[in-house]
C-alpha cells in the first residue's frame, strides 16, 4: 500500500499508509490523544476520526475543548436523542437534528404521541442506556434512489423531501444501534464518550421555518463527557436565571413606579 504525507498544524510531516484514519494517526502520537479525540479536519474539511485518508493531507485533531470537538459530540448526541425517541414513542417521524451553541435539538413529528416535560427523565435514561452500549457510529455513502427507498419505506416524508433536493453521489447516512439518519457528519466514533445527558426544553417549530407547513416538536438537550461537567453547567444555568429574574424585577419596579 502506498504511503501518504500527513502535515500537522505545527508544519511537521509524517508518513502513513494510505487509508489511515485520524484515530490511528492520534494513536501513533499518544494513547491519551487517541482517547480524547472526537473529530478531525482533513484539508480543512470536517472529517470523522474513523474515516480513511487516502491522499496527502493536512490534518487537525479536535478534542472536547475545541469547538469542532463539541460540535461533533453534540451532533452525535442529537442522533442518540432521536434513537431514544424512536424507542420510546413508536411512530415518531424525524425532521432535522443539528448541534447548536450549547447542545443540540431534534425536530420531530410526534404522530399519535404526546411528549411533555414529564417525559424528560425517561428520555434521558434511555439515552444513557443507549450510550452505554458503546455502539459505533458508522458512515455510509448511499445513492439517491437507495436513500429515497430506505427512508420512504419507513414513512419518513421529511427526510425524503430533503433527499429529493440532494445531488446523487453526495449523500451519506450514519447508523448507530437501531437508528439510521440522513446526515453529512462528522460524528464521534462511538456513543461511549456520552456520559451525562439532560433534556432541557420543548418548543414548537414549523417544518423548514414555514408556518404553512407542519408544526413539529423541537426537543432540546445537552450532553457532556463527564457527569461533573453537566452538574457545573446546570449550576451556571440556574445562576443565569436568577440574575435574569433580579434584572426583570428591577425593571418591573422601575416601570411600575416611574412617573
Amino acid at each position: 500500500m502506498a504511503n501518504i504525507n500527513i502535515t500537522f498544524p505545527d508544519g511537521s510531516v509524517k508518513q502513513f499508509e494510505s487509508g489511515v484514519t485520524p484515530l490511528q494517526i492520534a494513536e501513533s502520537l499518544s494513547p491519551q490523544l487517541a482517547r480524547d479525540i472526537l473529530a478531525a479536519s482533513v484539508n480543512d474539511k470536517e472529517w470523522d476520526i474513523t474515516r480513511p485518508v487516502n491522499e496527502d493531507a493536512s490534518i487537525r485533531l479536535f478534542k472536547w475543548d475545541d469547538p469542532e470537538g463539541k460540535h461533533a459530540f453534540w451532533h452525535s448526541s442529537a442522533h442518540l436523542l432521536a434513537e431514544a425517541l424512536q424507542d420510546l414513542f413508536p411512530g415518531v417521524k424525524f425532521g432535522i437534528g443539528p448541534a447548536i451553541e450549547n447542545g443540540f435539538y431534534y425536530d420531530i413529528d410526534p404522530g399519535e404521541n404526546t411528549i411533555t416535560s414529564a417525559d424528560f427523565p425517561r428520555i434521558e435514561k434511555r439515552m444513557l442506556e443507549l450510550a452505554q452500549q458503546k455502539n459505533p457510529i458508522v458512515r455510509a455513502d448511499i445513492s439517491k434512489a437507495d436513500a429515497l427507498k430506505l427512508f420512504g419505506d419507513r414513512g419518513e416524508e421529511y427526510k425524503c423531501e430533503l433527499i429529493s433536493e440532494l445531488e446523487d453521489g453526495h449523500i451519506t447516512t450514519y447508523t448507530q444501534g437501531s437508528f439510521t439518519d440522513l446526515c453529512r457528519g462528522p460524528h464521534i466514533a462511538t456513543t461511549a464518550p456520552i456520559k451525562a445527558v439532560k433534556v432541557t426544553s420543548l418548543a414548537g417549530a414549523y417544518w423548514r421555518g414555514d408556518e404553512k407547513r407542519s408544526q413539529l416538536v423541537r426537543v432540546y438537550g445537552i450532553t457532556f463527557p463527564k457527569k461533573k461537567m453537566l452538574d457545573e453547567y446546570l449550576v451556571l444555568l440556574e445562576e443565569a436565571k436568577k440574575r435574569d429574574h433580579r434584572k426583570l424585577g428591577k425593571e418591573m419596579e422601575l416601570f411600575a413606579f416611574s412617573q
Side-chain angles (χ1 to χ4, degrees):
M1 193 174 277
N3 283 342
I4 57 172
N5 293 316
I6 297 295
T7 305
F8 294 93
D10 65 359
S12 63
V13 179
K14 280 184 80 171
Q15 281 203 335
F16 294 89
E17 280 192 358
S18 176
V20 69
T21 66
L23 181 56
Q24 289 167 333
I25 292 169
E27 283 166 349
S28 78
L29 299 173
S30 130
Q32 186 60 50
L33 177 60
R35 283 193 290 275
D36 292 343
I37 181 181
L38 296 170
S41 73
V42 173
N43 291 334
D44 295 323
K45 289 183 184 163
E46 297 177 322
W47 210 264
D48 301 299
I49 63 172
T50 52
R51 184 178 171 191
V53 182
N54 295 312
E55 58 190 17
D56 291 352
S58 59
I59 193 166
R60 292 168 68 210
L61 306 174
F62 302 119
K63 300 188 286 188
W64 172 260
D65 290 337
D66 301 302
E68 297 90 344
K70 282 190 180 72
H71 187 274
F73 191 93
W74 284 334
H75 195 174
S76 303
S77 299
H79 284 216
L80 189 70
L81 167 64
E83 188 182 5
L85 293 171
Q86 176 182 267
D87 286 355
L88 296 171
F89 303 99
V92 296
K93 293 176 182 177
F94 297 100
I96 59 167
I100 53 177
E101 188 181 358
N102 279 308
F104 52 89
Y105 68 78
Y106 218 115
D107 286 345
I108 63 162
D109 182 338
E112 301 297 310
N113 300 285
T114 302
I115 300 174
T116 71
S117 57
D119 295 304
F120 290 0
R122 70 190 188 110
I123 297 170
E124 292 162 4
K125 180 173 180 280
R126 186 60 186 144
M127 286 178 72
L128 281 172
E129 287 168 355
L130 292 167
Q132 285 157 9
Q133 290 175 11
K134 302 181 180 179
N135 289 318
I137 303 175
V138 181
R139 180 183 190 272
D141 290 287
I142 188 170
S143 72
K144 190 167 185 172
D146 285 348
L148 285 168
K149 181 168 189 337
L150 174 68
F151 290 95
D153 286 352
R154 293 184 351 200
E156 293 279 8
E157 65 259 33
Y158 303 104
K159 296 292 183 187
C160 287
E161 182 181 324
L162 296 173
I163 294 163
S164 69
E165 297 166 9
L166 295 174
E167 192 182 338
D168 204 356
H170 296 272
I171 300 172
T172 51
T173 61
Y174 282 82
T175 300
Q176 95 267 349
S178 62
F179 182 72
T180 297
D181 207 350
L182 174 75
C183 192
R184 280 199 306 265
H187 286 281
I188 58 178
T190 80
T191 59
I194 302 169
K195 299 279 173 54
V197 171
K198 187 74 180 169
V199 179
T200 51
S201 63
L202 296 172
Y206 291 108
W207 173 235
R208 306 190 88 170
D210 183 346
E211 61 187 26
K212 297 186 180 71
R213 307 291 303 274
S214 305
Q215 184 162 32
L216 306 179
V217 175
R218 180 167 291 180
V219 186
Y220 285 94
I222 194 164
T223 53
F224 293 91
K226 292 178 182 169
K227 172 77 164 59
K228 181 170 173 274
M229 290 178 175
L230 173 60
D231 294 341
E232 288 166 355
Y233 173 78
L234 294 175
V235 168
L236 287 174
L237 214 55
E238 207 49 48
E239 286 173 358
K241 275 186 198 163
K242 283 178 193 164
R243 278 198 301 277
D244 280 354
H245 286 148
R246 282 200 295 271
K247 184 167 172 272
L248 192 61
K250 280 181 186 166
E251 284 169 358
M252 286 171 75
E253 199 173 276
L254 178 68
F255 292 129
F257 297 106
S258 61
Q259 296 299 318

